[in-house]
Amino acid sequence: MTCIYSAAGLLTGPGLVHDRPFRAPHHTVSGVGLVGGGRGPRPGEVTLAHHGVLFLDELPEFGRATLDVLRQPVEEGSVTLIRANRSTRLPARFALVAAMNPCPCGQLGRTDRPCACTPATVANYRCRVSGPLRDRFDIQVEVPALPAKALGDSPPGESSSVVGARVAAARRVQEGRAPDGGRPVNARLTPDLLRRLAAPDPDGRRLLRQAIDQLGLSARAHDAVLRVARTIADLDERESVGVDQVAEAIQYRSLDRGSQPNSRLLAAPQ
């Protein structure tokens, strides 16, 4: 199957791919495999996931140097490959999703199974993912272990179609706010637009300042909280961002809070 890419995304037409891509490389992938290179050069996973999802399971098992090559694509939505006298720029605007255990044995935080890892082991395990890369994940969700009875007896949740309709409605709201007829979703708002469109109310600003002081949030994390809070408000069909939306967005910074869940699911914006 041949995929044709352009700076605008995955092309459509007879014989071409119509669905958004989903890429899930193994943790043994190299940096070249992620961002591309070699003769040609050939696109890597970040370009093959353009306008789709790049999923990295068992995040700390990837090489640290390999993971750090993701910083530029996540930040800029493209990757520049320089080989000899040639420079090639490839599109790479994707949603980065990753999963990781809290420790090497995976039992930290559980009450039914003891964890055999020492604090130093846990710290070394988490340090396999650099701080600058962790900081680029706007949403960090703790996923606790489910009890056995919940696996078979829990009531069904919302269907994907219902959730999808709510997300589509929120995206239409974001497109309606775009200046000059553009289509910037919240993840791609410029700093000026972000501070204008996602400015929280006085209580929300006060809570955000407290979070910055107590959690030591970076400037990037500050903007991430605003983006997520604005998105939560859109999903709630609210015109403005209030303290409740800011509080929920801060709760999604579990790595900054230093908590110890059973597992984590992380997501960076597209």
Side-chain angles (χ1 to χ4, degrees):
M1 178 174 61
T2 301
C3 297
I4 300 178
Y5 290 85
S6 71
L10 192 62
L11 299 179
T12 59
L16 301 181
V17 176
H18 294 265
D19 296 332
R20 291 180 181 269
F22 178 88
R23 306 291 299 185
H26 192 262
H27 64 78
T28 56
V29 68
S30 65
V32 172
L34 276 182
V35 301
R39 294 183 179 181
R42 298 178 61 86
E45 293 292 334
V46 296
T47 297
L48 297 175
H50 184 54
H51 283 194
V53 173
L54 177 64
F55 176 60
L56 304 181
D57 195 15
E58 301 292 350
L59 187 65
E61 301 301 331
F62 287 77
R64 178 164 175 160
T66 299
L67 289 176
D68 281 344
V69 303
L70 293 172
R71 293 192 204 177
Q72 180 201 0
V74 168
E75 198 77 19
E76 301 178 6
S78 64
V79 59
T80 301
L81 305 177
I82 301 176
R83 298 293 184 272
N85 297 325
R86 182 177 179 181
S87 176
T88 303
R89 184 172 178 269
L90 298 175
R93 189 169 295 284
F94 54 90
L96 176 60
V97 181
M100 60 182 288
N101 286 313
C103 65
C105 76
Q107 308 302 331
L108 184 63
R110 299 190 62 163
T111 58
D112 56 337
R113 298 180 184 178
C115 173
C117 303
T118 65
T121 301
V122 174
N124 290 334
Y125 176 75
R126 295 180 180 180
C127 284
R128 294 180 188 178
V129 183
S130 68
L133 181 61
R134 292 199 306 267
D135 204 33
R136 283 169 167 80
F137 286 97
D138 286 5
I139 300 175
Q140 305 154 8
V141 181
E142 301 179 5
V143 185
L146 290 174
K149 68 175 184 178
L151 296 176
D153 299 334
S154 58
E158 287 185 299
S159 66
S160 296
S161 60
V162 172
V163 175
R166 189 162 62 247
V167 171
R171 287 181 70 95
R172 287 193 295 270
V173 169
Q174 294 168 28
E175 293 169 7
R177 285 196 301 262
D180 303 324
R183 298 183 61 185
V185 293
N186 292 337
R188 292 187 232 167
L189 290 175
T190 63
D192 289 341
L193 281 176
L194 181 66
R195 280 155 180 75
R196 178 162 63 86
L197 299 177
D201 62 18
D203 289 338
R205 287 197 300 270
R206 190 177 305 110
L207 179 61
L208 184 53
R209 285 196 296 267
Q210 292 174 356
I212 292 173
D213 292 339
Q214 296 178 12
L215 302 179
L217 298 182
S218 66
R220 180 181 289 112
H222 168 275
D223 287 356
V225 170
L226 289 182
R227 280 195 298 267
V228 174
R230 176 68 267 180
T231 302
I232 295 170
D234 292 340
L235 291 169
D236 291 342
E237 300 181 349
R238 290 178 57 95
E239 288 284 340
S240 60
V241 177
V243 65
D244 291 341
Q245 288 75 43
V246 173
E248 183 175 348
I250 293 171
Q251 289 299 310
Y252 295 145
R253 304 290 304 185
S254 64
L255 293 176
D256 296 321
R257 290 187 282 114
S259 56
Q260 298 179 346
N262 284 313
S263 60
R264 288 191 177 97
L265 183 67
L266 304 95
Q270 178 180 357

